[in-house]
Amino acid sequence: MGSLCHDPESADLMPYCRPAVLSDAEQLEPKLREEDRREVTTLTGEPALQSLIHGIVMSDMPIAIVDDDETVLGLFGVVPTFDTPKTGAVWMLASPQLFQHKRQFIRESRQWVDAMQSRYDVLFNVVDERNTVHVRWLKWCGFTFINRHQLGTPETPFLEFVRIKP
């Protein structure tokens, strides 16, 4: 998949995307948005770093959003579900610094989701209902909320979402 984010060779100082590596998880973890940290630790019961590493290792297309200094601003990807072909769990975690580039991120988000959708008939996952930034972003990217669950420790309302290839 070619990069849809900014070209790192350009003179503009804007973030760009590249394949994620394990050290990106270590760099992002201390800077995670508190809402993102709360979401993954509530859902998994594990430290956020473990979730980031798991996301990179298990995704067939893990992507890092980095700035011109190679500072990781966010990570995202899609983890295939091996029991249901052409279905993947989409995920994204970010630092507050990503929102300094909100306009570019919003503009390019749908392109990245479309690129993931080209490989999967169904994209899905759950999001902490309190993570309103993620809920709005998922709606913007064309996901539909289909169910509300009490998940994690402590039990917390999570919204199940899905996007089906037309």
Side-chain angles (χ1 to χ4, degrees):
M1 174 172 63
S3 176
L4 298 173
C5 289
H6 177 74
D7 176 4
E9 302 301 317
S10 168
D12 294 335
L13 299 178
M14 306 228 1
Y16 66 95
C17 296
R18 62 161 171 73
V21 296
L22 288 179
S23 61
D24 294 333
E26 294 171 349
Q27 188 184 137
L28 180 60
E29 188 277 331
K31 301 179 296 184
L32 273 179
R33 293 177 57 242
E34 282 307 311
E35 297 87 347
D36 290 11
R37 181 181 310 281
R38 178 183 64 203
E39 181 175 293
V40 297
T41 57
T42 298
L43 189 59
T44 67
E46 299 176 341
L49 179 60
Q50 189 63 34
S51 292
L52 288 165
I53 291 170
H54 182 261
I56 291 172
V57 170
M58 298 302 293
S59 289
D60 73 343
M61 50 190 308
I63 301 295
I65 304 168
V66 297
D67 68 11
D68 57 311
D69 294 326
E70 282 292 306
T71 301
V72 178
L73 305 175
L75 293 169
F76 65 92
V78 58
V79 176
T81 57
F82 297 105
D83 57 334
T84 309
K86 304 292 267 172
T87 300
V90 66
W91 63 274
M92 183 185 148
L93 298 168
S95 74
Q97 288 72 33
L98 180 61
F99 297 101
Q100 294 171 0
H101 308 281
K102 182 169 57 173
R103 181 172 276 161
Q104 178 190 1
F105 173 73
I106 293 296
R107 186 174 53 242
E108 296 178 5
S109 291
R110 283 190 191 163
Q111 294 173 315
W112 277 102
V113 173
D114 288 346
M116 289 186 277
Q117 189 85 73
S118 73
R119 298 171 78 159
Y120 294 90
D121 293 338
V122 177
L123 296 173
F124 77 98
N125 210 332
V126 294
V127 62
D128 185 330
E129 184 177 68
R130 301 168 294 175
N131 197 338
T132 57
V133 168
H134 278 189
V135 170
R136 283 194 316 266
W137 177 75
L138 288 162
K139 287 178 183 176
W140 164 256
C141 289
F143 288 91
T144 301
F145 294 91
I146 60 172
N147 212 339
R148 187 173 189 256
H149 304 277
Q150 293 292 323
L151 301 172
T153 306
E155 281 198 358
T156 303
F158 276 78
L159 301 174
E160 183 179 5
F161 60 88
V162 66
R163 188 174 190 247
I164 300 171
K165 187 185 286 188

